[in-house]
Amino acid sequence: MTSRIVITGLNHRSAPVEVRERLAFPADTIGHALRALVESDGISEGVILSTCNRVEVCVLAEEGYRGDEAVRRFLASFHGMTPAELQPYLYHRSGDEAVRHLFRVASSLDSMVLGEPQILGQVKDAYGYAAEFKAIGPILDKFFTKAFSAAKRVRTETRVANSAVSVSYAAVELAKKIMGDLSDNTVMLIGAGEMCELAARHLLNAGARGILVTNRTFERAVRLAEEFDGTPVRFEELTTHLKRADIVLSSTGSPRFILKRDDIADVLRVRKNRPMFFIDMAVPRDIDPDANQIDNVYVYDIDDLNNVIETNLEERQREAAKAEEIVAAEADSFRKWLEAQQVTPTIVSLRRKYEEIKAAEVGKALAALGEADPKTRQVVESLASSLLNKVLHSPIASLKRDCEEHSPAQRIAVVREVFDLPEEGEEEEGDAAQGGDDGRA
C-alpha cells in the first residue's frame, strides 16, 4: 500500500471571505458532500473541515492518484464553480507536509488568532461527521486521533493558549488583577452590544456575583439582563444604581462622556470609598479619564486593553516555538506508524511465498526419507524454518528500517523486484480466484 494523505483547501490568508463563504459546507450538506467525495476516483477516505476561516478537504489518495486534482474537481462541482476559478485560492499539502499541517491546525498554530481554542472542537466535529457518514477509514482515523493528541500536548505543555487576546477577555483579566476574587463583585454593563455581552459572559464564568444592565433602549437592556439572570436598569437611572457596581463595563455609541469625574466621585463617597473598576471599551470614550485620579477608582480604556493583548500575543509567540517542537515530534511518530502500515502487505507477501516454498521442499524431503520417525520429521521442519527466518531477516529488516534516503515506496519496490513478488492488486486477484483463501501456509 502506497496511498498518501493529501490536504487541499483555503483559509483566511489565501482567500477573501466572499470566496470562503461560497465554498463553505453547512452542517445540513456535509453528509451528501462526504459521500460524493469518497465516490471520487482514487479517493478511499475523506474528511471535510469547514469553519468561518478555512475550508479544507483531507483525503487518502490511492496509489497512482495525486488526490489534489480529484479534490479540486470535487470542490468545483459541489459548489457550482470551475476548477480554474478556485485555483488561485487553493493550497495543497501531501505526505509529511499534510501531517504537519493538520497537527498545526488542530493545535491552533495556523489560526488567525494564535492559540484560540475553538479550532480543536471544529476539527473534532469534522472527524465526527466523517465517522458518522462512513467516509473515514483506519488511516485517516489514526491521523486525526494523533492530531488530537498533538493538540492536547500543546495545550498542556505550553502556554500558547493561556493569555487573553480578545478585548472582552482582556477586560476580565484586568478585572481579576485589580479586584482579585470576583465572587463578591457586582458588574454593571453600560450598553447592550456584543462587546459588553461577551465580557459579561467571561465575568460570570470567572465568578462575578450579579449583573446590572443599562441601555438607552430599555428593551435591549431587559433582553440582555434576562439572558444572564441579571437586573435591567433604565438609562436615566444609571447614576442612582451605579453605587451597587464594583466593576463597570461600558461600550456605547455616545459622542461624549456618559460618566464624568464628579459623577464617579459622588458615587464613591456613597460607597464609602470601596474600590470601583471601570473598563471603557467605547470610542469615543464613555468614562471621563480624569476619574482615574480619584483614590480607589481605576479606569482603563481600549488602548490599555490593546496593550494587554499585545503583551499576551508576544508571550503566545514565544510559546509557539515550543508548540512547534511538539508538533514535529508527534508528526514524526505518525510518519513511522504510517510507513509500517505501508510495508506490512509486502512483508506478508514475502513470508507467504517462502512459507509455501518451505512446505513444498519439506514435503519432498520427508517423502525421500520414507517412513521417518517423528523426531526426524521435527528436525527437518525445524531446519527449514530456521533457514527461512535467516533468509527473510535482512529484507524484512530493510523494509522496517527508518531510512531518510529511500521512501517506503522505493524500499517496497526493490524488495518486490528482487524476490519476484506480485503487485498487491495481482495478489488480491489471485486470492479471489482461489475462493477467498488467503493462501497462507
Side-chain angles (χ1 to χ4, degrees):
M1 180 187 71
T2 52
S3 304
R4 65 174 183 161
I5 295 171
V6 177
I7 294 176
T8 299
L10 48 80
N11 63 19
H12 55 280
R13 287 188 289 272
S14 70
V17 64
E18 55 268 26
V19 175
R20 300 201 304 272
E21 63 190 8
R22 284 191 69 183
L23 290 181
F25 290 89
D28 59 352
T29 69
I30 199 72
H32 175 54
L34 284 166
R35 282 190 288 270
L37 176 63
V38 294
E39 287 173 0
S40 303
D41 287 343
I43 303 299
S44 57
E45 301 181 36
V47 179
I48 298 174
L49 172 63
S50 181
T51 75
C52 59
N53 279 330
R54 71 180 66 237
V55 174
E56 293 186 346
V57 180
C58 176
V59 299
L60 185 67
E62 296 170 356
E63 185 174 2
Y65 288 88
R66 286 172 47 84
D68 54 336
E69 183 58 38
V71 172
R72 186 161 49 239
R73 288 197 301 271
F74 158 76
L75 284 171
S77 172
F78 196 86
H79 293 289
M81 301 172 71
T82 67
E85 286 180 282
L86 290 176
Q87 184 57 34
Y89 307 107
L90 294 178
Y91 49 76
H92 308 282
R93 307 282 186 269
S94 64
D96 291 348
E97 279 193 348
V99 173
R100 182 169 175 270
H101 177 78
L102 179 66
F103 286 14
R104 294 187 76 249
V105 169
S107 301
S108 193
L109 299 177
D110 194 54
S111 297
M112 178 182 287
V113 178
L114 178 65
E116 58 88 8
Q118 288 84 11
I119 185 63
L120 179 57
Q122 291 164 333
V123 176
K124 288 183 175 179
D125 287 343
Y127 167 82
Y129 282 129
E132 179 182 350
F133 292 101
K134 304 185 187 315
I136 199 168
I139 300 299
L140 291 193
D141 185 288
K142 181 73 174 182
F143 182 32
F144 275 74
T145 303
K146 195 70 176 172
F148 303 149
S149 173
K152 183 179 179 181
R153 279 195 62 196
V154 166
R155 291 203 168 269
T156 56
E157 296 179 25
T158 76
R159 293 174 52 81
V160 75
N162 281 20
S163 306
V165 292
S166 69
V167 169
S168 55
Y169 197 68
V172 177
E173 290 293 296
L174 268 178
K176 289 165 72 175
K177 283 184 180 178
I178 299 296
M179 309 298 283
D181 182 7
L182 300 182
S183 58
D184 289 331
N185 291 160
T186 296
V187 179
M188 172 171 272
L189 306 182
I190 304 177
E194 182 181 5
M195 194 85 82
C196 276
E197 181 181 345
L198 285 172
R201 202 176 300 281
H202 289 314
L203 281 166
L204 286 175
N205 289 336
R209 181 177 55 188
I211 286 192
L212 309 171
V213 183
T214 186
N215 193 69
R216 289 189 190 279
T217 304
F218 185 61
E219 289 74 16
R220 294 189 63 188
V222 171
R223 282 199 296 271
L224 189 57
E226 287 177 348
E227 186 174 338
F228 296 118
D229 197 22
T231 303
V233 173
R234 292 192 179 278
F235 193 76
E236 53 273 22
E237 299 173 358
L238 164 61
T239 52
T240 302
H241 292 271
L242 191 60
K243 62 186 178 186
R244 299 165 59 189
D246 305 294
I247 300 170
V248 180
L249 294 167
S250 188
S251 180
T252 76
S254 173
R256 60 187 65 86
F257 297 145
I258 290 175
L259 291 174
K260 297 179 180 177
R261 186 184 190 284
D262 291 345
D263 298 327
I264 295 172
D266 291 342
V267 169
L268 199 69
R269 278 194 290 275
V270 175
R271 285 172 56 88
K272 298 181 179 177
N273 282 324
R274 281 188 293 122
M276 295 187 75
F277 178 49
F278 292 83
I279 304 173
D280 188 353
M281 298 182 286
V283 179
R285 288 175 290 183
D286 289 337
I287 314 293
D288 184 351
D290 287 345
N292 213 14
Q293 299 170 4
I294 304 171
D295 288 344
N296 288 332
V297 171
Y298 306 91
V299 180
Y300 286 82
D301 61 25
I302 192 71
D303 281 353
D304 297 318
L305 295 175
N306 284 331
N307 288 337
V308 171
I309 291 170
E310 287 297 319
T311 301
N312 289 344
L313 278 174
E314 290 173 4
E315 180 181 348
R316 286 193 176 197
Q317 289 291 350
R318 288 193 295 273
E319 292 295 309
K322 300 177 188 173
E324 294 285 3
E325 292 178 4
I326 292 172
V327 164
E330 293 291 331
D332 189 54
S333 170
F334 178 74
R335 178 183 61 79
K336 291 175 180 174
W337 177 86
L338 187 60
E339 288 186 358
Q341 307 311 303
Q342 292 175 333
V343 301
T344 296
T346 299
I347 293 173
V348 170
S349 177
L350 184 63
R351 182 164 285 281
R352 175 194 299 175
K353 176 177 179 176
Y354 284 89
E355 288 284 358
E356 290 172 351
I357 293 173
K358 184 197 81 172
E361 295 303 316
V362 167
K364 289 179 187 176
L366 292 177
L369 289 172
E371 294 295 328
D373 58 81
K375 185 174 182 181
T376 301
R377 296 176 66 89
Q378 185 180 6
V379 168
V380 171
E381 289 176 354
S382 177
L383 174 64
S385 295
S386 178
L387 287 172
L388 176 65
N389 288 334
K390 290 182 185 302
V391 167
L392 296 184
H393 174 75
S394 292
I396 289 176
S398 175
L399 285 169
K400 291 181 175 178
R401 189 176 300 129
D402 184 15
C403 177
E404 294 183 357
E405 294 181 1
H406 303 290
S407 68
Q410 290 172 316
R411 301 200 299 272
I412 289 169
V414 168
V415 170
R416 283 190 175 274
E417 182 177 357
V418 169
F419 290 90
D420 193 25
L421 300 177
E423 296 299 323
E424 288 181 47
E426 295 173 4
E427 287 178 292
E428 292 171 1
E429 291 172 5
D431 291 344
Q434 294 172 32
D437 184 357
D438 68 4
R440 297 185 185 189

